[in-house]
């Protein structure tokens, strides 16, 4: 591993342990040339992914870019870093296990929007405004209308089953009886 301070190639691992969510190995390293200390993370990569951009250009998938995009949308929002890491790891795992070596940028954007929608509504709107290239306030109004409609739909109680046609009518409610007191 190259030292980020002096560029030396002979860095030494001083400590290795799993990350908090056990999705990566955290390694503390030291450079014998300059004495610089730094941390690296080792993650499982199921396959090399290539992202096909809207322009048709192909670039290697960059997990760090995905992480930065999600963190930018969630800036100053009350979301724990562990939840952000789980979201990014989940999206990455889903893309890598999808069976295709090439994935479209649209598929990545939709996966991020889906994840942010369940995590934080404000971050969802922020990301959507950039991803969908909003040009007018009307674009925001439309997205917020869909978001509000989805929230209202989720808040509705489940419909009760209609009584069967041959079921007897429900009995009229009887007034509650007061318990008798016993004379001693």
């Amino acid at each position: 591993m190259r030292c980020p301070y002096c560029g030396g190639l002979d860095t030494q691992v001083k400590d290795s342990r799993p990350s908090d969510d056990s999705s990566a190995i955290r390694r503390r390293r030291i450079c014998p040339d300059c004495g610089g200390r730094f941390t690296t993370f080792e993650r499982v990569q199921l396959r090399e992914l290539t992202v096909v951009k809207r322009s048709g250009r192909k670039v290697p998938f960059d997990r760090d870019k995905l992480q930065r995009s999600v963190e930018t949308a969630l800036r100053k929002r009350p979301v724990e870093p562990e939840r952000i890491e789980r979201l990014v790891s989940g999206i990455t795992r889903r893309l890598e296990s999808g069976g295709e070596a090439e994935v479209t940028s649209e598929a990545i954007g939709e996966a991020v929007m889906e994840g942010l929608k369940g995590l934080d509504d404000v971050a969802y709107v922020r990301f959507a405004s950039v991803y969908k290239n909003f040009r007018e306030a009307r674009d925001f109004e439309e997205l917020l209308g869909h978001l509000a409609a989805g929230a209202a739909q989720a808040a509705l109680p489940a419909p009760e089953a209609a009584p069967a046609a041959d079921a007897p009518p429900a009995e009229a409610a009887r007034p509650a009886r007061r318990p008798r007191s016993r004379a001693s």
Side-chain angles (χ1 to χ4, degrees):
M1 178 66 63
R2 183 180 302 273
C3 174
Y5 305 112
C6 72
L9 292 173
D10 190 31
T11 59
Q12 300 169 346
V13 175
K14 290 298 182 188
D15 179 43
S16 288
R17 65 180 66 163
S19 64
D20 293 336
D21 64 353
S22 297
S23 66
I25 300 293
R26 178 182 181 270
R27 300 194 193 281
R28 283 294 294 157
R29 297 179 177 267
I30 187 167
C31 177
D33 297 338
C34 70
R37 294 174 180 263
F38 58 99
T39 302
T40 60
F41 290 90
E42 180 180 322
R43 290 184 173 80
V44 172
Q45 183 174 356
L46 298 175
R47 69 176 44 163
E48 291 283 330
L49 289 177
T50 302
V51 178
V52 180
K53 301 284 194 169
R54 289 179 183 168
S55 65
R57 192 170 55 105
K58 295 179 180 182
V59 296
F61 175 75
D62 185 358
R63 184 187 191 285
D64 293 333
K65 182 177 179 183
L66 175 62
Q67 176 100 23
R68 285 190 307 272
S69 298
V70 170
E71 287 175 348
T72 299
L74 286 163
R75 186 172 294 141
K76 296 185 180 182
R77 298 298 302 155
V79 177
E80 298 83 23
E82 296 82 32
R83 293 184 72 194
I84 298 170
E85 178 62 30
R86 273 191 306 238
L87 173 64
V88 173
S89 293
I91 292 169
T92 304
R93 245 182 268 118
R94 196 172 342 139
L95 294 172
E96 289 177 344
S97 62
E100 298 293 324
E102 291 184 350
V103 63
T104 63
S105 58
E106 289 85 7
I108 296 171
E110 292 299 325
V112 171
M113 285 183 53
E114 178 184 320
L116 286 174
K117 190 173 189 179
L119 200 59
D120 186 86
D121 287 344
V122 172
Y124 169 73
V125 172
R126 285 177 180 170
F127 186 85
S129 70
V130 174
Y131 173 68
K132 294 187 178 216
N133 199 17
F134 286 2
R135 301 252 186 235
E136 301 173 356
R138 189 172 353 128
D139 298 332
F140 283 97
E141 290 172 358
E142 187 176 310
L143 180 71
L144 291 172
H146 289 299
L147 193 60
Q153 184 70 23
L156 289 177
E160 293 184 26
D166 59 345
E171 291 183 32
R174 294 184 185 159
R177 297 174 88 183
R178 293 179 48 186
R180 293 185 184 178
S181 60
R182 295 174 61 167
S184 36

